[in-house]
Amino acid sequence: MADPLPKYARVDTLNPEAFAQCDRCGFWRNRSDLVWQYEWAGMQLYSKGTLVCFDRCYDIPQEQLRTIILPPDPPPIVNARVPNFDYEEQTPIIYQFGSPLGINNELPPWAAGPQLLMCNQQGTQILVLQYLTSS
């Protein structure tokens, strides 16, 4: 016949203590060996309402769930000099003229297919790619 005592619980006849079951692993332990599981929520820890064994099932609360307190912004620089980077910024724009295939499923004539144009900040357009004409 199997031993009726739990594996991890201690029995003391002089100092009796209650048994309790871990909510995660299900092992029976002394109630004093079980702790509440806590989790971060905002600025404080809150109890999840589960009793778990400290040596096997207790999870350290995740700092990822904690609210991040950012320091204040630094004071602004008076009369700052920022370099002009407009000449380095170009935006690709794709235009579509006509249908992708011409009449009778042929390649479209010159300037009828999709074109890739580069536009700078002043609005100047530079043609980069265009369909070749069919020969």
Side-chain angles (χ1 to χ4, degrees), residues 74-93:
I77 299 173
V78 178
N79 204 1
R81 298 288 190 245
V82 181
N84 185 6
F85 292 111
D86 285 345
Y87 68 92
E88 293 180 357
E89 295 182 12
Q90 292 185 347
T91 307
I93 300 174

Side-chain angles (χ1 to χ4, degrees), residues 2 5-6 12 28 30 47 51-52 54 74-76 81 95 110 124 126 129 133-134:
L5 297 177
D12 187 4
W28 285 90
N30 293 87
S47 175
L51 279 171
V52 295
F54 187 75
R81 298 288 190 245
Y95 288 100
W110 183 261
T124 308
I126 305 162
L129 175 67
T133 57
S134 58

Side-chain angles (χ1 to χ4, degrees), residues 55-118:
D55 59 341
R56 292 179 54 131
C57 298
Y58 182 75
D59 290 333
I60 298 172
Q62 283 288 323
E63 292 288 331
Q64 300 175 41
L65 302 175
R66 192 175 195 175
T67 301
I68 299 172
I69 300 174
L70 297 175
D73 290 338
I77 299 173
V78 178
N79 204 1
R81 298 288 190 245
V82 181
N84 185 6
F85 292 111
D86 285 345
Y87 68 92
E88 293 180 357
E89 295 182 12
Q90 292 185 347
T91 307
I93 300 174
I94 298 176
Y95 288 100
Q96 176 75 36
F97 296 105
S99 64
L101 294 176
I103 302 171
N104 299 329
N105 291 334
E106 298 173 356
L107 286 174
W110 183 261
Q115 302 171 357
L116 178 64
L117 302 175
M118 298 296 285

Side-chain angles (χ1 to χ4, degrees), residues 21-72:
Q21 189 176 14
C22 175
D23 290 335
R24 289 230 174 96
C25 65
F27 284 115
W28 285 90
R29 296 176 167 263
N30 293 87
R31 171 56 184 90
S32 62
D33 293 340
L34 298 178
V35 293
W36 294 104
Q37 177 66 56
Y38 284 92
E39 196 65 60
W40 280 106
M43 297 291 296
Q44 61 189 1
L45 290 169
Y46 78 96
S47 175
K48 293 178 74 174
T50 56
L51 279 171
V52 295
C53 44
F54 187 75
D55 59 341
R56 292 179 54 131
C57 298
Y58 182 75
D59 290 333
I60 298 172
Q62 283 288 323
E63 292 288 331
Q64 300 175 41
L65 302 175
R66 192 175 195 175
T67 301
I68 299 172
I69 300 174
L70 297 175

